Amino acid sequence: MNNYQLESLLNDFLKPFAIKDYCPNGMQVEGNAEVKKIVTGVTASQALIDTAIEQGADALLVHHGYFWRGESEPLKGMKFKRIKALIENGINLYAYHLPLDVHPEVGNNAQLAKLLGIEQRGGLEDGNLNSVAVWGELPNALSAKEFSELLGMKLNREPLHIESGVAKSIKTVGWCTGGGQDFIDLAASKGMDAFVSGEISERTTYSARELGIHYFSAGHHATERYGVKALGEWLANEHGFEVSFIDIDNPV
């Protein structure tokens, strides 16, 4: 498939123009005109690029690409080396950030719910059809310890648990993969028993304790592995691409 046709295909599926983001979504670096083999991964790190080169990929599809709002603009240092490697090897770079978080089928939030057995009910942000933070229900109430163990088992990473200070089981769960810890206050206002995200800030601890909601920091990378993996599987199953998902270790 032509590289621009692939971008159109992805845009039609993920609808990046329907959500305001702070990075460009779609093709970020142009490579070979014909795309047959795709490597997918969470972040366009040098290690992932090197693997794509080794595998002879025509395209790299990631959740975290480049050109973030507020970042240094000059192409030098680490940024230059990465982009130089892509261009010299004819690798197209496609990146989808928030559109991949919120997609109802292959999105990071949807895939995390599927992994944990949570039935997603809707968004936490009133009036926002593309709410980045969502909520749902477990089939059976779990203790905080049981839910923490479930996260650890499914994500292969022990989560950091901040106790709510309230003796209650967990049935309703709010979550936002990646760096969504500041949605904890909204989740508490909606009556959630627990909130899950990838990261934690100093202020998150006090919100959990004072608002009576369990908080689980489960890893930015760990909570966002599954969206881009599912997107690659869709490209392989529905459109015949050769796709490899590469999980570059990241403990954060």
Side-chain angles (χ1 to χ4, degrees), residues 103-158:
H103 193 274
E105 297 171 42
V106 302
N108 286 318
N109 283 332
Q111 289 295 311
L112 184 61
K114 181 179 178 181
L115 190 69
L116 298 176
I118 301 172
E119 185 173 350
Q120 187 170 327
R121 299 294 191 190
L124 284 175
E125 300 172 276
D126 292 334
N128 185 355
L129 296 177
N130 291 309
S131 178
V132 181
V134 294
W135 75 280
E137 294 184 0
L138 291 163
N140 299 295
L142 298 177
S143 68
K145 183 176 183 294
E146 289 172 331
F147 187 68
S148 183
E149 290 173 348
L150 174 66
L151 280 168
M153 177 180 66
K154 294 295 185 179
L155 298 179
N156 196 30
R157 180 189 188 279
E158 183 178 355

Short mmCIF file of all heavy atoms in Angstrom, two decimals, residues 103-158:
data_model
loop_
_atom_site.label_atom_id
_atom_site.label_comp_id
_atom_site.label_asym_id
_atom_site.label_seq_id
_atom_site.Cartn_x
_atom_site.Cartn_y
_atom_site.Cartn_z
N HIS A 103 -9.93 5.40 21.26
CA HIS A 103 -10.67 4.60 20.28
C HIS A 103 -11.45 3.48 20.97
O HIS A 103 -10.92 2.77 21.83
CB HIS A 103 -9.70 4.00 19.25
CG HIS A 103 -10.40 3.44 18.06
ND1 HIS A 103 -10.90 2.16 18.02
CD2 HIS A 103 -10.72 4.01 16.85
CE1 HIS A 103 -11.47 1.94 16.84
NE2 HIS A 103 -11.38 3.05 16.12
N PRO A 104 -12.73 3.30 20.63
CA PRO A 104 -13.57 2.34 21.36
C PRO A 104 -13.20 0.88 21.16
O PRO A 104 -13.62 0.02 21.94
CB PRO A 104 -14.98 2.62 20.80
CG PRO A 104 -14.75 3.25 19.46
CD PRO A 104 -13.49 4.05 19.61
N GLU A 105 -12.43 0.56 20.11
CA GLU A 105 -12.07 -0.83 19.87
C GLU A 105 -10.61 -1.12 20.20
O GLU A 105 -10.31 -2.01 21.01
CB GLU A 105 -12.33 -1.18 18.40
CG GLU A 105 -13.78 -1.07 17.98
CD GLU A 105 -13.94 -1.21 16.48
OE1 GLU A 105 -13.27 -2.09 15.89
OE2 GLU A 105 -14.71 -0.43 15.88
N VAL A 106 -9.70 -0.40 19.57
CA VAL A 106 -8.27 -0.69 19.75
C VAL A 106 -7.58 0.30 20.68
O VAL A 106 -6.37 0.22 20.88
CB VAL A 106 -7.52 -0.71 18.39
CG1 VAL A 106 -8.14 -1.74 17.46
CG2 VAL A 106 -7.52 0.68 17.75
N GLY A 107 -8.33 1.21 21.27
CA GLY A 107 -7.75 2.24 22.13
C GLY A 107 -7.09 1.68 23.38
O GLY A 107 -7.43 0.58 23.85
N ASN A 108 -6.18 2.44 23.93
CA ASN A 108 -5.50 2.00 25.15
C ASN A 108 -6.48 1.78 26.29
O ASN A 108 -6.37 0.80 27.03
CB ASN A 108 -4.45 3.05 25.57
CG ASN A 108 -3.23 3.03 24.69
OD1 ASN A 108 -2.73 1.97 24.32
ND2 ASN A 108 -2.73 4.20 24.33
N ASN A 109 -7.43 2.69 26.46
CA ASN A 109 -8.42 2.52 27.54
C ASN A 109 -9.27 1.28 27.32
O ASN A 109 -9.52 0.51 28.26
CB ASN A 109 -9.32 3.76 27.63
CG ASN A 109 -8.64 4.93 28.29
OD1 ASN A 109 -7.75 4.77 29.12
ND2 ASN A 109 -9.06 6.14 27.95
N ALA A 110 -9.73 1.08 26.09
CA ALA A 110 -10.56 -0.08 25.78
C ALA A 110 -9.80 -1.38 25.96
O ALA A 110 -10.34 -2.37 26.48
CB ALA A 110 -11.10 0.03 24.36
N GLN A 111 -8.55 -1.39 25.54
CA GLN A 111 -7.75 -2.60 25.65
C GLN A 111 -7.40 -2.93 27.11
O GLN A 111 -7.34 -4.09 27.50
CB GLN A 111 -6.47 -2.47 24.82
CG GLN A 111 -6.72 -2.50 23.31
CD GLN A 111 -7.26 -3.83 22.83
OE1 GLN A 111 -6.72 -4.89 23.16
NE2 GLN A 111 -8.34 -3.80 22.06
N LEU A 112 -7.17 -1.88 27.92
CA LEU A 112 -6.89 -2.12 29.34
C LEU A 112 -8.12 -2.69 30.02
O LEU A 112 -8.02 -3.61 30.85
CB LEU A 112 -6.45 -0.83 30.03
CG LEU A 112 -6.02 -0.97 31.49
CD1 LEU A 112 -4.82 -1.91 31.62
CD2 LEU A 112 -5.70 0.39 32.10
N ALA A 113 -9.29 -2.17 29.67
CA ALA A 113 -10.54 -2.70 30.24
C ALA A 113 -10.71 -4.17 29.88
O ALA A 113 -11.09 -5.00 30.72
CB ALA A 113 -11.72 -1.88 29.73
N LYS A 114 -10.45 -4.49 28.63
CA LYS A 114 -10.55 -5.87 28.18
C LYS A 114 -9.60 -6.78 28.94
O LYS A 114 -9.97 -7.89 29.36
CB LYS A 114 -10.26 -5.93 26.68
CG LYS A 114 -10.36 -7.30 26.05
CD LYS A 114 -10.07 -7.24 24.56
CE LYS A 114 -10.12 -8.61 23.91
NZ LYS A 114 -9.81 -8.54 22.45
N LEU A 115 -8.38 -6.31 29.16
CA LEU A 115 -7.37 -7.09 29.86
C LEU A 115 -7.76 -7.36 31.31
O LEU A 115 -7.53 -8.44 31.84
CB LEU A 115 -6.03 -6.33 29.81
CG LEU A 115 -4.78 -7.07 30.28
CD1 LEU A 115 -4.41 -8.18 29.31
CD2 LEU A 115 -3.62 -6.08 30.43
N LEU A 116 -8.38 -6.35 31.95
CA LEU A 116 -8.73 -6.45 33.37
C LEU A 116 -10.14 -7.00 33.61
O LEU A 116 -10.52 -7.22 34.76
CB LEU A 116 -8.60 -5.08 34.03
CG LEU A 116 -7.20 -4.46 34.04
CD1 LEU A 116 -7.25 -3.06 34.64
CD2 LEU A 116 -6.21 -5.33 34.81
N GLY A 117 -10.89 -7.19 32.55
CA GLY A 117 -12.25 -7.70 32.71
C GLY A 117 -13.23 -6.66 33.21
O GLY A 117 -14.24 -6.99 33.84
N ILE A 118 -12.97 -5.39 32.93
CA ILE A 118 -13.85 -4.29 33.33
C ILE A 118 -14.83 -4.01 32.20
O ILE A 118 -14.43 -3.90 31.03
CB ILE A 118 -13.06 -3.01 33.65
CG1 ILE A 118 -12.06 -3.27 34.78
CG2 ILE A 118 -13.99 -1.88 34.03
CD1 ILE A 118 -11.10 -2.10 35.01
N GLU A 119 -16.10 -3.87 32.52
CA GLU A 119 -17.09 -3.48 31.51
C GLU A 119 -17.17 -1.96 31.47
O GLU A 119 -17.60 -1.32 32.43
CB GLU A 119 -18.46 -4.06 31.83
CG GLU A 119 -19.49 -3.77 30.75
CD GLU A 119 -20.80 -4.49 30.95
OE1 GLU A 119 -20.88 -5.38 31.82
OE2 GLU A 119 -21.76 -4.16 30.23
N GLN A 120 -16.71 -1.38 30.37
CA GLN A 120 -16.68 0.08 30.25
C GLN A 120 -18.09 0.62 30.11
O GLN A 120 -18.87 0.15 29.29
CB GLN A 120 -15.82 0.50 29.05
CG GLN A 120 -15.59 1.99 28.96
CD GLN A 120 -14.55 2.35 27.90
OE1 GLN A 120 -13.60 1.61 27.68
NE2 GLN A 120 -14.72 3.50 27.27
N ARG A 121 -18.39 1.67 30.92
CA ARG A 121 -19.73 2.26 30.93
C ARG A 121 -19.81 3.59 30.21
O ARG A 121 -20.85 3.95 29.69
CB ARG A 121 -20.20 2.44 32.37
CG ARG A 121 -20.31 1.16 33.19
CD ARG A 121 -21.38 0.24 32.65
NE ARG A 121 -21.66 -0.85 33.58
CZ ARG A 121 -22.41 -1.91 33.29
NH1 ARG A 121 -22.94 -2.01 32.08
NH2 ARG A 121 -22.61 -2.85 34.19
N GLY A 122 -18.72 4.35 30.21
CA GLY A 122 -18.76 5.65 29.56
C GLY A 122 -17.58 6.51 29.94
O GLY A 122 -16.63 6.06 30.58
N GLY A 123 -17.65 7.78 29.55
CA GLY A 123 -16.59 8.72 29.86
C GLY A 123 -16.82 9.43 31.18
O GLY A 123 -17.97 9.57 31.62
N LEU A 124 -15.76 9.88 31.80
CA LEU A 124 -15.86 10.63 33.04
C LEU A 124 -16.09 12.12 32.79
O LEU A 124 -16.63 12.82 33.64
CB LEU A 124 -14.59 10.45 33.89
CG LEU A 124 -14.44 9.13 34.65
CD1 LEU A 124 -13.08 9.08 35.33
CD2 LEU A 124 -15.55 8.96 35.68
N GLU A 125 -15.67 12.60 31.63
CA GLU A 125 -15.80 14.02 31.32
C GLU A 125 -17.18 14.29 30.71
O GLU A 125 -17.46 13.88 29.58
CB GLU A 125 -14.71 14.45 30.35
CG GLU A 125 -13.30 14.26 30.87
CD GLU A 125 -12.26 14.52 29.81
OE1 GLU A 125 -11.96 13.59 29.03
OE2 GLU A 125 -11.75 15.64 29.74
N ASP A 126 -18.03 14.98 31.43
CA ASP A 126 -19.39 15.26 30.97
C ASP A 126 -19.37 16.05 29.66
O ASP A 126 -18.64 17.03 29.51
CB ASP A 126 -20.16 16.07 32.03
CG ASP A 126 -20.45 15.25 33.27
OD1 ASP A 126 -20.51 14.02 33.17
OD2 ASP A 126 -20.61 15.86 34.36
N GLY A 127 -20.19 15.60 28.71
CA GLY A 127 -20.33 16.32 27.46
C GLY A 127 -19.21 16.10 26.47
O GLY A 127 -19.23 16.69 25.38
N ASN A 128 -18.22 15.28 26.81
CA ASN A 128 -17.10 15.02 25.91
C ASN A 128 -17.22 13.60 25.36
O ASN A 128 -16.98 12.63 26.08
CB ASN A 128 -15.78 15.20 26.65
CG ASN A 128 -14.57 15.06 25.73
OD1 ASN A 128 -14.71 14.74 24.55
ND2 ASN A 128 -13.38 15.29 26.26
N LEU A 129 -17.60 13.50 24.09
CA LEU A 129 -17.76 12.18 23.48
C LEU A 129 -16.43 11.45 23.34
O LEU A 129 -16.41 10.23 23.17
CB LEU A 129 -18.42 12.33 22.11
CG LEU A 129 -19.85 12.88 22.11
CD1 LEU A 129 -20.36 13.04 20.68
CD2 LEU A 129 -20.78 11.99 22.91
N ASN A 130 -15.33 12.20 23.40
CA ASN A 130 -14.00 11.60 23.32
C ASN A 130 -13.27 11.73 24.65
O ASN A 130 -12.07 12.02 24.69
CB ASN A 130 -13.19 12.26 22.20
CG ASN A 130 -13.72 11.93 20.83
OD1 ASN A 130 -13.91 10.76 20.50
ND2 ASN A 130 -13.97 12.95 20.01
N SER A 131 -13.98 11.52 25.74
CA SER A 131 -13.38 11.64 27.07
C SER A 131 -12.14 10.76 27.18
O SER A 131 -12.18 9.56 26.87
CB SER A 131 -14.39 11.24 28.14
OG SER A 131 -13.81 11.31 29.43
N VAL A 132 -11.05 11.36 27.62
CA VAL A 132 -9.81 10.61 27.77
C VAL A 132 -9.86 9.72 29.01
O VAL A 132 -9.24 8.66 29.05
CB VAL A 132 -8.60 11.57 27.83
CG1 VAL A 132 -7.30 10.81 27.97
CG2 VAL A 132 -8.56 12.45 26.58
N ALA A 133 -10.59 10.15 30.02
CA ALA A 133 -10.79 9.35 31.22
C ALA A 133 -12.15 8.67 31.15
O ALA A 133 -13.14 9.30 30.75
CB ALA A 133 -10.70 10.23 32.46
N VAL A 134 -12.18 7.40 31.51
CA VAL A 134 -13.41 6.62 31.38
C VAL A 134 -13.70 5.87 32.69
O VAL A 134 -12.90 5.89 33.63
CB VAL A 134 -13.30 5.62 30.22
CG1 VAL A 134 -13.22 6.37 28.89
CG2 VAL A 134 -12.08 4.71 30.38
N TRP A 135 -14.86 5.22 32.73
CA TRP A 135 -15.17 4.44 33.93
C TRP A 135 -15.94 3.18 33.54
O TRP A 135 -16.48 3.07 32.44
CB TRP A 135 -15.97 5.26 34.93
CG TRP A 135 -17.43 5.46 34.56
CD1 TRP A 135 -17.93 6.37 33.67
CD2 TRP A 135 -18.54 4.73 35.06
NE1 TRP A 135 -19.29 6.26 33.60
CE2 TRP A 135 -19.70 5.26 34.44
CE3 TRP A 135 -18.68 3.69 35.97
CZ2 TRP A 135 -20.98 4.78 34.70
CZ3 TRP A 135 -19.97 3.20 36.24
CH2 TRP A 135 -21.09 3.75 35.61
N GLY A 136 -15.94 2.23 34.47
CA GLY A 136 -16.66 0.98 34.23
C GLY A 136 -16.82 0.21 35.52
O GLY A 136 -16.54 0.72 36.61
N GLU A 137 -17.25 -1.03 35.40
CA GLU A 137 -17.52 -1.86 36.57
C GLU A 137 -16.87 -3.23 36.43
O GLU A 137 -16.87 -3.82 35.34
CB GLU A 137 -19.03 -2.04 36.78
CG GLU A 137 -19.75 -0.76 37.13
CD GLU A 137 -21.22 -0.99 37.43
OE1 GLU A 137 -21.66 -2.17 37.36
OE2 GLU A 137 -21.92 -0.02 37.74
N LEU A 138 -16.36 -3.72 37.54
CA LEU A 138 -15.87 -5.08 37.61
C LEU A 138 -17.06 -6.04 37.72
O LEU A 138 -18.10 -5.67 38.29
CB LEU A 138 -14.97 -5.26 38.82
CG LEU A 138 -13.62 -4.54 38.78
CD1 LEU A 138 -13.02 -4.47 40.18
CD2 LEU A 138 -12.66 -5.26 37.83
N PRO A 139 -16.95 -7.25 37.20
CA PRO A 139 -18.07 -8.20 37.31
C PRO A 139 -18.39 -8.54 38.76
O PRO A 139 -19.54 -8.79 39.12
CB PRO A 139 -17.59 -9.42 36.52
CG PRO A 139 -16.10 -9.27 36.44
CD PRO A 139 -15.84 -7.80 36.43
N ASN A 140 -17.35 -8.56 39.60
CA ASN A 140 -17.51 -8.82 41.03
C ASN A 140 -16.63 -7.87 41.82
O ASN A 140 -15.51 -7.55 41.39
CB ASN A 140 -17.12 -10.27 41.37
CG ASN A 140 -17.98 -11.28 40.64
OD1 ASN A 140 -19.17 -11.38 40.87
ND2 ASN A 140 -17.35 -12.05 39.75
N ALA A 141 -17.12 -7.41 42.94
CA ALA A 141 -16.34 -6.51 43.78
C ALA A 141 -15.08 -7.23 44.28
O ALA A 141 -15.11 -8.42 44.61
CB ALA A 141 -17.17 -6.03 44.96
N LEU A 142 -13.98 -6.48 44.31
CA LEU A 142 -12.71 -7.02 44.79
C LEU A 142 -12.20 -6.16 45.93
O LEU A 142 -12.48 -4.96 46.01
CB LEU A 142 -11.67 -7.01 43.66
CG LEU A 142 -11.96 -7.85 42.41
CD1 LEU A 142 -10.85 -7.63 41.39
CD2 LEU A 142 -12.08 -9.33 42.75
N SER A 143 -11.41 -6.77 46.80
CA SER A 143 -10.72 -5.99 47.81
C SER A 143 -9.61 -5.21 47.10
O SER A 143 -9.22 -5.53 45.97
CB SER A 143 -10.12 -6.90 48.88
OG SER A 143 -9.07 -7.68 48.34
N ALA A 144 -9.09 -4.19 47.77
CA ALA A 144 -8.00 -3.41 47.18
C ALA A 144 -6.80 -4.31 46.90
O ALA A 144 -6.12 -4.16 45.87
CB ALA A 144 -7.61 -2.27 48.10
N LYS A 145 -6.54 -5.24 47.79
CA LYS A 145 -5.42 -6.16 47.61
C LYS A 145 -5.64 -7.05 46.39
O LYS A 145 -4.72 -7.27 45.59
CB LYS A 145 -5.24 -7.02 48.86
CG LYS A 145 -4.05 -7.99 48.81
CD LYS A 145 -3.89 -8.71 50.14
CE LYS A 145 -2.67 -9.63 50.14
NZ LYS A 145 -2.82 -10.75 49.20
N GLU A 146 -6.85 -7.56 46.23
CA GLU A 146 -7.17 -8.42 45.10
C GLU A 146 -7.05 -7.65 43.77
O GLU A 146 -6.55 -8.18 42.78
CB GLU A 146 -8.58 -8.99 45.24
CG GLU A 146 -8.72 -10.03 46.33
CD GLU A 146 -10.15 -10.43 46.58
OE1 GLU A 146 -11.06 -9.59 46.36
OE2 GLU A 146 -10.39 -11.57 47.03
N PHE A 147 -7.52 -6.40 43.78
CA PHE A 147 -7.45 -5.61 42.56
C PHE A 147 -5.99 -5.28 42.22
O PHE A 147 -5.60 -5.30 41.05
CB PHE A 147 -8.27 -4.33 42.70
CG PHE A 147 -8.38 -3.55 41.42
CD1 PHE A 147 -9.09 -4.05 40.34
CD2 PHE A 147 -7.77 -2.31 41.30
CE1 PHE A 147 -9.19 -3.33 39.15
CE2 PHE A 147 -7.85 -1.59 40.11
CZ PHE A 147 -8.58 -2.11 39.04
N SER A 148 -5.19 -5.00 43.22
CA SER A 148 -3.78 -4.72 43.01
C SER A 148 -3.08 -5.94 42.43
O SER A 148 -2.26 -5.83 41.51
CB SER A 148 -3.11 -4.31 44.33
OG SER A 148 -1.76 -3.97 44.14
N GLU A 149 -3.42 -7.11 42.93
CA GLU A 149 -2.83 -8.35 42.42
C GLU A 149 -3.27 -8.61 40.99
O GLU A 149 -2.48 -9.11 40.17
CB GLU A 149 -3.23 -9.53 43.33
CG GLU A 149 -2.55 -9.48 44.69
CD GLU A 149 -3.07 -10.55 45.64
OE1 GLU A 149 -4.12 -11.17 45.32
OE2 GLU A 149 -2.46 -10.75 46.70
N LEU A 150 -4.52 -8.28 40.65
CA LEU A 150 -5.02 -8.43 39.28
C LEU A 150 -4.21 -7.55 38.33
O LEU A 150 -3.78 -8.00 37.26
CB LEU A 150 -6.50 -8.06 39.22
CG LEU A 150 -7.13 -8.05 37.82
CD1 LEU A 150 -7.17 -9.45 37.23
CD2 LEU A 150 -8.54 -7.45 37.88
N LEU A 151 -3.99 -6.30 38.71
CA LEU A 151 -3.18 -5.39 37.90
C LEU A 151 -1.77 -5.93 37.70
O LEU A 151 -1.24 -5.92 36.58
CB LEU A 151 -3.12 -4.01 38.56
CG LEU A 151 -4.32 -3.08 38.38
CD1 LEU A 151 -4.21 -1.90 39.33
CD2 LEU A 151 -4.40 -2.59 36.94
N GLY A 152 -1.17 -6.37 38.79
CA GLY A 152 0.19 -6.88 38.71
C GLY A 152 0.31 -8.09 37.80
O GLY A 152 1.26 -8.21 37.02
N MET A 153 -0.66 -8.98 37.89
CA MET A 153 -0.64 -10.20 37.09
C MET A 153 -0.84 -9.89 35.61
O MET A 153 -0.13 -10.41 34.74
CB MET A 153 -1.73 -11.16 37.57
CG MET A 153 -1.83 -12.44 36.76
SD MET A 153 -3.15 -13.54 37.36
CE MET A 153 -4.60 -12.54 36.97
N LYS A 154 -1.79 -9.03 35.29
CA LYS A 154 -2.13 -8.73 33.90
C LYS A 154 -1.08 -7.85 33.22
O LYS A 154 -0.82 -7.99 32.02
CB LYS A 154 -3.49 -8.07 33.81
CG LYS A 154 -4.66 -8.96 34.23
CD LYS A 154 -4.82 -10.14 33.29
CE LYS A 154 -6.05 -10.96 33.63
NZ LYS A 154 -6.22 -12.11 32.70
N LEU A 155 -0.49 -6.92 33.96
CA LEU A 155 0.47 -5.99 33.37
C LEU A 155 1.92 -6.40 33.59
O LEU A 155 2.83 -5.73 33.11
CB LEU A 155 0.25 -4.58 33.95
CG LEU A 155 -1.13 -3.96 33.67
CD1 LEU A 155 -1.22 -2.59 34.31
CD2 LEU A 155 -1.39 -3.86 32.18
N ASN A 156 2.11 -7.47 34.36
CA ASN A 156 3.46 -7.95 34.66
C ASN A 156 4.30 -6.86 35.32
O ASN A 156 5.49 -6.71 35.05
CB ASN A 156 4.16 -8.46 33.39
CG ASN A 156 5.38 -9.31 33.70
OD1 ASN A 156 5.43 -9.98 34.73
ND2 ASN A 156 6.36 -9.28 32.82
N ARG A 157 3.65 -6.11 36.20
CA ARG A 157 4.32 -5.00 36.89
C ARG A 157 3.52 -4.68 38.15
O ARG A 157 2.32 -4.42 38.07
CB ARG A 157 4.36 -3.76 35.99
CG ARG A 157 5.03 -2.55 36.62
CD ARG A 157 4.81 -1.34 35.73
NE ARG A 157 5.58 -0.18 36.16
CZ ARG A 157 5.22 0.65 37.14
NH1 ARG A 157 4.09 0.43 37.81
NH2 ARG A 157 5.98 1.69 37.44
N GLU A 158 4.16 -4.73 39.29
CA GLU A 158 3.44 -4.44 40.54
C GLU A 158 3.06 -2.96 40.60
O GLU A 158 3.92 -2.09 40.49
CB GLU A 158 4.32 -4.79 41.75
CG GLU A 158 3.61 -4.59 43.08
CD GLU A 158 4.48 -4.97 44.26
OE1 GLU A 158 5.60 -5.47 44.04
OE2 GLU A 158 4.04 -4.74 45.41
#
